[in-house]
Amino acid sequence: IYKIDMEILKNKTVLIADDDVDIITQVTIQLKSFGMNVIAVESQKEAEAIMETTKPDIAIFDLMMENLDSGFILSYKMKKKYPDVPVIIVTAVTADTGMMFGIDTTEEKNWIKADLYLEKGLRPEQLQMEMTRLLTR
């Protein structure tokens, strides 16, 4: 087991897009406690506007916002413009609909450009660990 350097997240900029204000508030507090700079928006459209002028160090996108696949669209656009920015898609879609998504097969990786796919309701230390892992690979 290797020790993860939690200092990695300090002063990194994260773009978070989620149409649930409560989730944004919760996650923003967590991310700021890690020492991160947070840009939080409530729609795919706002996230796309931010991406035009700002390159975050990492991004967290909700899957379903104004479109059922907003997170996939944002992930695709982020990777096209900034291929090196890690993207995490978070969703409650499995809890809400019973549908499962993954990025395990080559086919899924080809159309889902995210680096990581997580269910909502993450523990802060899990999010911190996953983000640190993505930023150090």
Side-chain angles (χ1 to χ4, degrees):
I1 297 175
Y2 63 97
K3 185 183 180 314
I4 293 177
D5 180 5
M6 296 305 181
E7 292 294 301
I8 302 240
L9 301 181
K10 274 215 179 1
N11 299 317
K12 292 278 194 288
T13 298
V14 58
L15 171 60
I16 176 169
D18 196 312
D19 57 357
D20 184 331
V21 182
D22 294 336
I23 298 275
I24 284 186
T25 304
Q26 215 174 43
V27 175
T28 297
I29 291 167
Q30 289 174 7
L31 297 174
K32 285 187 171 178
S33 78
F34 304 156
M36 300 186 82
N37 304 310
V38 180
I39 302 170
V41 296
E42 294 175 35
S43 70
Q44 174 187 331
K45 193 175 172 191
E46 288 174 286
E48 287 175 7
I50 297 285
M51 284 164 29
E52 286 299 312
T53 57
T54 306
K55 179 185 178 186
D57 295 295
I58 191 165
I60 302 174
F61 299 138
D62 181 22
L63 176 57
M64 295 191 293
M65 289 182 276
E66 60 264 51
N67 297 302
L68 292 177
D69 59 354
S70 286
F72 293 151
I73 294 167
L74 286 173
S75 181
Y76 177 81
K77 289 184 174 186
M78 178 68 80
K79 288 298 187 181
K80 199 170 162 120
K81 190 165 172 83
Y82 308 115
D84 58 324
V85 173
V87 175
I88 300 172
I89 290 182
V90 292
T91 185
V93 76
T94 305
D96 292 348
T97 67
M99 290 185 343
M100 293 289 288
F101 287 100
I103 47 172
D104 306 319
T105 67
T106 306
E107 187 185 0
E108 287 167 335
K109 283 189 176 93
N110 283 338
W111 72 274
I112 300 174
K113 297 295 181 193
D115 297 280
L116 189 61
Y117 184 86
L118 299 170
E119 288 292 318
K120 283 190 175 173
L122 284 180
R123 294 184 327 280
E125 57 277 11
Q126 183 187 1
L127 182 61
Q128 185 179 26
M129 190 182 75
E130 294 292 2
M131 291 176 72
T132 300
R133 190 177 57 77
L134 287 172
L135 286 167
T136 52
R137 61 179 185 173

